[in-house]
Structures are given as C-alpha cells and as structure tokens.
Amino acid sequence: MRLRIRLAKLGLARFLSHLDFQRVVERGLRRAELPLAFTQGFNPHPRISYASALATGTSSEGEFIDVDLTEPVEPEAFVSRANAALPADVRLLEARPAPEGGESLMALVNAAEYRLTLQGADEEALRQAVARFLEAEQVVVTREGPAGSRSVDIRPHVYSLAVEGPGELRALVQTGSAGNVRPDEVVAGLIRCAPDLAGVELALAHRLMLYRRDPETGICAEPWSL
C-alpha cells in the first residue's frame, strides 16, 4: 500500500534544512511503529519520496510525500499515530491512498504557491510594482551557485503574482526538477521593477500548495489526483 500525505512545516521547524526535515519525518514515522516498507541493501531506509525541496527558513502547509507500507493502514489512523510521534511543528494534515502507477511526485510537481509577507511595503507602491513586474518582458535577478553568481530571467517562471493585502503577496512560481524560483527572488525581481521598494524585506515565506501545472492551459491540479 502507498499513501500520499500532505504535511505542514511550521514555527521553528521552518529553519530545518530539507535533509534534516526528511530525517525528522522518517524518525517520527519509525517511532510511531507504522508498517513502513524499507529499501534493500546494506543500509535500508523507509521508502518515502518527496515532491519538492523547501528552502530553509520557509514555512509550509503544502508539502507532499508518498510512503510505501507493508500492510494497509487507514489514512486517518496513519495521520493520528504519526502526529503523536512527530514534533509539534511538523504535522501530517491529510493522507489518502496514492494513485496507482504513474510518475513520482518529484517528476509530477512543477509549480508552487506561496504567501509572501513583506516589511516596509506601502500597499499602493506594492500594487504598482506588481503591475510593472507582470508587464515586464524580462525580470533578471542574480542567482548564487557553486560556480558563482549568474543572471537569471525569472519572469517566464512566475505564473501569477498578486497583492493580497497590506504587505502581503500571493505568488505561483515554477518548482521541481525543471528549476525553481525562490520567494526571495520574486521580491528581488519586484525591487528591480520598482527601485523605490529598495527598503522592502521578505519577512516570511509560506508555501500554501504544490501543483502539477499544465503548460498549455495553465490549469493547476493538486497532487492528490496525479
């Protein structure tokens, strides 16, 4: 049996790296004594696959994993038993039987929705900056990597961007194996489009959901049905 599970990473847990988050989840599921299926070989570990890595410092209520089991467990019972063994800031929100066959979560998911909370942003100036961003043909930001810094045009990979309220944005961006747009890059791009926002800072990034986005239609599907 395979379960597809939605998780939340909240509070201080948002400062865990992706690898540390994986360790916390794995150890919690082991402590819950759930019937996990393990890999073969010298160093077996639970067969758990993750949809998309989350940047350190970002909270989330939209993480997804697939967990293989050796025997059936009711999804509600799985969530209850797991949450009793996990830290308070790492919560299983829902579990459902995973669709049979098909691609892995990592291969399927290609878009992420974020709520971005900004400090020092005037709402009207923010709305104007968002309008300029969406009208721009290119929004170039600097991305640091192992080989040094390089310029990247993020505009084609920011699918939607809107002001939700004072100092708050909602953004749908590319994620997954084809590439990621980070929340801080969206803010950097806004400042490039509106230099008067230079004093604005990203106070909190919160991932709301992961999706499979159809590149032709722009329609987004949640991982449950993929």
Side-chain angles (χ1 to χ4, degrees):
M1 181 182 186
R2 173 174 292 176
L3 286 180
R4 181 156 293 174
I5 299 163
R6 182 180 178 188
L7 301 90
K9 184 182 180 186
L10 307 169
L12 293 177
R14 72 182 187 273
F15 296 112
L16 293 172
S17 69
H18 182 60
L19 183 58
D20 286 336
F21 178 64
Q22 288 179 320
R23 289 177 180 141
V24 167
V25 171
E26 178 180 321
R27 289 170 183 170
L29 297 185
R30 285 187 175 195
R31 282 195 300 269
E33 298 183 347
L34 292 157
L36 305 175
F38 283 76
T39 59
Q40 302 298 311
F42 179 74
N43 184 28
H45 58 272
R47 293 211 305 258
I48 303 173
S49 57
Y50 290 77
S52 177
L54 186 68
T56 304
T58 303
S59 61
S60 176
E61 59 189 81
E63 302 309 289
F64 279 84
I65 61 174
D66 280 346
V67 179
D68 287 341
L69 304 174
T70 58
E71 61 186 67
V73 178
E74 287 296 324
E76 295 82 1
F78 187 99
V79 169
S80 177
R81 289 170 61 180
N83 281 339
L86 285 164
D89 288 342
V90 177
R91 296 285 88 187
L92 272 60
L93 302 178
E94 187 178 0
R96 302 182 192 178
E100 294 185 9
E103 297 179 272
S104 67
L105 274 173
M106 186 175 291
L108 287 167
V109 166
N110 63 4
E113 186 178 27
Y114 291 92
R115 182 174 64 240
L116 309 179
T117 303
L118 309 181
Q119 285 184 340
D122 174 77
E123 185 173 356
E124 183 55 35
L126 195 56
R127 292 186 184 278
Q128 293 177 11
V130 167
R132 293 176 194 169
F133 185 104
L134 296 175
E135 291 168 359
E137 292 186 3
Q138 287 189 323
V139 178
V140 178
V141 300
T142 300
R143 182 173 292 174
E144 301 293 337
S149 61
R150 59 191 178 97
S151 296
V152 178
D153 178 19
I154 64 169
R155 181 63 193 91
H157 311 298
V158 178
Y159 306 125
S160 66
L161 185 64
V163 178
E164 290 281 287
E168 190 168 290
L169 299 173
R170 185 168 294 213
L172 181 69
V173 302
Q174 183 185 58
T175 194
S177 57
N180 292 281
V181 174
R182 302 192 311 268
D184 61 295
E185 292 176 332
V186 175
V187 176
L190 272 178
I191 293 171
R192 285 288 183 94
C193 294
D196 53 319
L197 292 181
V200 169
E201 296 181 353
L202 178 61
L204 180 64
H206 181 75
R207 187 144 78 182
L208 296 165
M209 181 54 75
L210 293 170
Y211 299 102
R212 175 68 175 183
R213 180 181 180 273
D214 187 308
E216 299 296 327
T217 65
I219 294 173
C220 291
E222 294 184 359
W224 301 119
S225 59
L226 302 177

